[in-house]
Amino acid sequence: MKLLRNILDNLKPDFEKGGKFPWLHSTFDAFETFAFVPKTTTKNGAHFRDALDMKRTMTMVIVALIPALLFGTYNIGYQHFLSLDPKIGFFDEIWNNLWYGILKVLPIIIVSYVVGLSIEFGFAQWRGHEVNEGFLVTGMLIPLVMPPDVPLWQVAMATAFSVVIGKEVFGGTGMNFLNPALLARAFLFFAFPSSMSGDNVWIAEKADAFSGATPLAEMMAGASIPTHSFMEMLLGVMPGSIGETSAIAILLGAILLLFTGIGSWRIMLSVFVGGAVMGLTFNLFGSNPYTQIPFYYHYVMGGFMFGAVFMATDPVTASQTNRGKWIYGFLIGVMAVLIRVVNPAYPEGMMLSILLLNVFAPLIDYYVVDSNIKKRIKRWKMKGGENV
Amino acid sequence: MAGINFKLIKNPLSKENPITVQVLGICSALAVTAKLQPAFVMALSVIVVVVFSNLIISLIRNTIPPRIRIIVQLVIVSLLVILVDQILKAFVYDVSKQLSVFVGLIITNCIVMGRLEAFAMNNKPFDSLLDGIGNGIGYAVILVTLGIIRELFGSGTLWGYNVIPQSFYDMGYQDNSLMIMPPMALILVGIIIWIQRARNKDLCEK
């Protein structure tokens, strides 16, 4: 630690004004504050201080993503070998599974980080800002919502699109109104449907004879119940995007997020409540098999769990007020199940429902604040206060 | 008469561009630019309509009673649009079918009405003609640019001919189907506006 500090201190003058590389100041600053909590404090105005700054918060989210990432990596290998030999057991080929998964996932992660960070650094340098830390998490979320076989140039394109159009044009981290990772996925979903949907993309290099349909796709095709059991889907032993399959691994991350207070429990809970309400409504009134599955199946199929824990709770794009968070989360759950069951074109509704509610979040906040103001005016008048 | 006033043609091309600066005519710019050919034909039609309606309105501007001027303008614009529509149907029927309702909607195109109200009603015929040419071309430039980008990346063709070689597809290249959808046209217009404002700081709002 001391050594690193000394190296940074020695290098620092070169990057200040008048040094050798003043134009690289933002880049240097980014690495220095990544390694050490900056000592400077805000001088004026009232601020709530917290021991966690932005970079430390983001690191915590990355830690929360690790279980899903590890399980996803292993599962890719397992699904691949399972498609070649349907009799293989989950623990039969541990190292082969892991190694194969790493070979698939690592390039996607590297491409996502390299492309995204170089754009972030470029923009920060160009504007003379500090480098924003938001991409640390986005760069990890993007690979986790991709299918294992996605071409790398498409990952690069989607990352560039989401960082530039989704974030930088609005002013960088904290200014975006759409979740950048989901925007990257939505971009690929509409731009290159053949590598983002269908039955052939969810298992890496699968054998042709093996059905690679996800539980969502099976339900869509009219099955009365997915071929994977509830337990398998809960554990995540099924084809799907890299990080989304295992509800258990995601819940481990959720516990960390809730324990550290980084993720909002109101949003997570209300997403699940919303999904349950819509699922039960379909059970009552639905006519086809898809509407009749128990509501908790929706939690473990596809990206519902991943979206509820890691996407919907994104503090920038979610509602800010507490009552707004309840409404926001509830509607995400409702819309996700609604799109899944009713819309014939998209098997997965979580991505679209979160993006939709991202757009509505400021409106929800506006009315929550507005109704609070009205209520307080009314109370003021009841106490005999003057007209405002 | 002081000769040709080149500003009338030059300004609408860049700093008074009807689409990127005045943000008019966005609807048709999103709808017809998925392919280059319809975009080009549409641009040509709008040029014809805006030039001639500007000229005609300017010629009769002193005889139009102010209270019914919008109706009079509409009649003349409709007349020109119907003429254009019939000519398209007669000579380029396929393109006319692709453009469908958008040729008829030139009547309500804000660029046409806007130029009539803002310019032709108060200016001499020759100046109005130049203004029409300038604005028409300003609109056409954006439409054709969008058409080229969207068709090249969305379908891999230009004017219906394959441009991207088969070897690219064999290597794993895919057409970007988002390019064919209207939302991407809106994003592209936004990017053009971004580039334009980055180059010309006068256009930025305070």
Side-chain angles (χ1 to χ4, degrees):
Chain A
M1 267 304 149
K2 196 95 187 206
L3 182 75
L4 186 61
R5 182 72 258 176
N6 284 339
I7 294 174
L8 283 173
D9 281 344
N10 278 338
L11 284 174
K12 200 165 186 174
D14 285 344
F15 294 97
E16 299 294 326
K17 266 207 181 91
K20 274 186 238 166
F21 317 104
W23 50 277
L24 276 176
H25 177 75
S26 299
T27 314
F28 177 78
D29 188 63
F31 285 111
E32 190 193 5
T33 52
F34 180 75
F36 295 99
V37 181
K39 289 206 184 68
T40 49
T41 49
T42 319
K43 291 285 182 315
N44 43 15
H47 285 81
F48 287 102
R49 298 299 307 177
D50 195 329
L52 280 173
D53 66 358
M54 269 269 272
K55 282 200 174 74
R56 261 37 72 176
T57 310
M58 297 297 178
T59 319
M60 203 51 94
V61 182
I62 297 275
V63 174
L65 283 168
I66 287 176
L69 175 66
L70 287 181
F71 186 88
T73 311
Y74 187 87
N75 189 45
I76 286 171
Y78 173 64
Q79 293 293 337
H80 167 71
F81 290 112
L82 184 70
S83 82
L84 300 178
D85 173 13
K87 287 194 207 80
I88 208 164
F90 190 63
F91 294 110
D92 282 357
E93 299 266 0
I94 293 185
W95 295 111
N96 273 348
N97 289 347
L98 203 57
W99 181 239
Y100 186 85
I102 289 173
L103 283 185
K104 279 287 164 192
V105 177
L106 206 58
I108 304 181
I109 296 180
I110 292 172
V111 165
S112 148
Y113 269 116
V114 167
V115 172
L117 283 178
S118 35
I119 295 173
E120 287 263 358
F121 275 73
F123 266 94
Q125 211 77 70
W126 178 36
R127 291 176 173 156
H129 287 181
E130 282 178 37
V131 175
N132 290 313
E133 36 282 275
F135 195 77
L136 288 180
V137 170
T138 310
M140 184 55 84
L141 284 173
I142 289 176
L144 290 182
V145 293
M146 296 288 163
D149 254 352
V150 63
L152 293 178
W153 65 273
Q154 292 180 0
V155 178
M157 207 176 196
T159 310
F161 180 85
S162 80
V163 173
V164 175
I165 302 295
K167 221 159 85 173
E168 292 302 339
V169 292
F170 297 108
T173 302
M175 305 293 186
N176 49 313
F177 66 95
L178 291 174
N179 187 319
L182 276 184
L183 192 64
R185 192 179 196 280
F187 176 82
L188 283 192
F189 185 78
F190 289 109
F192 307 106
S194 60
S195 42
M196 289 299 284
S197 48
D199 294 346
N200 293 322
V201 300
W202 306 111
I203 299 177
E205 293 168 8
K206 82 178 176 67
D208 284 340
F210 193 77
S211 159
T214 60
L216 285 173
E218 289 171 4
M219 295 308 295
M220 197 80 160
S224 59
I225 204 96
T227 43
H228 293 84
S229 69
F230 181 77
M231 209 53 195
E232 279 177 322
M233 293 195 287
L234 186 69
L235 291 170
V237 193
M238 60 175 176
S241 297
I242 293 169
E244 73 172 12
T245 55
S246 171
I248 299 283
I250 295 164
L251 280 178
L252 284 179
I255 291 170
L256 181 68
L257 287 186
L258 293 179
F259 185 69
T260 52
I262 291 171
S264 157
W265 62 271
R266 290 185 180 85
I267 293 178
M268 288 190 205
L269 185 63
S270 55
V271 173
F272 289 118
V273 172
V277 167
M278 200 63 215
L280 290 171
T281 317
F282 275 127
N283 286 350
L284 280 180
F285 301 109
S287 50
N288 66 34
Y290 204 164
T291 58
Q292 295 306 326
I293 60 166
F295 71 87
Y296 47 83
Y297 267 63
H298 281 295
Y299 294 166
V300 293
M301 293 193 301
F304 193 100
M305 194 68 92
F306 193 84
V309 171
F310 292 111
M311 297 294 192
T313 54
D314 173 9
V316 176
T317 54
S319 280
Q320 308 292 322
T321 54
N322 280 346
R323 216 182 327 157
K325 281 177 183 167
W326 285 109
I327 302 170
Y328 165 86
F330 182 78
L331 286 178
I332 286 180
V334 168
M335 294 301 297
V337 175
L338 186 70
I339 295 172
R340 277 182 178 183
V341 176
V342 176
N343 189 318
Y346 312 124
E348 176 56 295
M350 203 59 190
M351 169 183 84
L352 296 170
S353 78
I354 294 177
L355 285 175
L356 180 70
L357 263 295
N358 278 171
V359 175
F360 277 103
L363 188 72
I364 296 171
D365 277 342
Y366 175 82
Y367 280 109
V368 167
V369 172
D370 198 49
S371 78
N372 196 36
I373 292 173
K374 286 213 179 93
K375 206 168 69 191
R376 295 186 64 161
I377 289 178
K378 216 168 155 190
R379 199 165 62 202
W380 171 246
K381 278 187 187 156
M382 294 240 297
K383 280 185 178 170
E386 303 270 319
N387 261 346
V388 186
Chain B
M1 195 152 197
I4 300 173
N5 190 350
F6 279 109
K7 264 192 187 158
L8 290 175
I9 296 186
K10 227 171 78 185
N11 281 353
L13 292 186
S14 59
K15 65 180 182 189
E16 283 170 21
N17 189 292
I19 293 186
T20 60
V21 179
Q22 303 175 31
V23 198
L24 301 174
I26 289 289
C27 179
S28 54
L30 303 192
V32 301
T33 52
K35 291 261 186 322
L36 178 57
Q37 197 183 11
F40 183 77
V41 173
M42 178 73 184
L44 216 57
S45 316
V46 171
I47 293 180
V48 169
V49 172
V50 76
V51 166
F52 284 103
S53 61
N54 253 10
L55 179 67
I56 296 169
I57 290 290
S58 181
L59 282 171
I60 60 172
R61 69 184 188 278
N62 293 327
T63 57
I64 303 175
R67 284 182 152 198
I68 57 161
R69 67 185 193 285
I70 300 280
I71 300 285
V72 176
Q73 290 165 4
L74 269 180
V75 169
I76 287 166
V77 176
S78 325
L79 172 84
L80 288 162
V81 168
I82 291 169
L83 278 177
V84 167
D85 194 24
Q86 294 300 321
I87 291 170
L88 290 185
K89 274 187 183 144
F91 293 102
V92 279
Y93 185 66
D94 290 339
V95 180
S96 164
K97 264 203 326 207
Q98 284 179 47
L99 289 173
S100 67
V101 70
F102 288 97
V103 175
L105 282 179
I106 296 177
I107 298 171
T108 55
N109 191 316
C110 310
I111 298 172
V112 180
M113 293 301 287
R115 289 335 288 171
L116 293 180
E117 272 292 290
F119 199 90
M121 286 300 287
N122 324 312
N123 285 285
K124 293 197 179 106
F126 187 61
D127 284 349
S128 300
L129 182 80
L130 293 181
D131 181 76
I133 294 174
N135 278 283
I137 294 177
Y139 175 82
V141 167
I142 303 293
L143 239 69
V144 170
T145 313
L146 285 178
I148 290 175
I149 298 175
R150 287 182 72 190
E151 184 171 357
L152 183 62
F153 293 107
S155 321
T157 57
L158 272 183
W159 204 273
Y161 298 104
N162 285 329
V163 176
I164 294 179
Q166 185 60 36
S167 53
F168 270 53
Y169 291 101
D170 295 340
M171 273 156 51
Y173 177 82
Q174 287 173 8
D175 288 327
N176 185 337
S177 36
L178 190 61
M179 279 286 177
I180 305 177
M181 299 181 198
M184 197 62 198
L186 188 66
I187 292 171
L188 287 175
V189 172
I191 292 174
I192 294 175
I193 293 177
W194 183 11
I195 295 171
Q196 192 184 12
R197 291 188 173 207
R199 293 168 59 109
N200 188 351
K201 297 283 181 204
D202 298 343
L203 295 174
C204 300
E205 289 91 358
K206 287 273 153 41

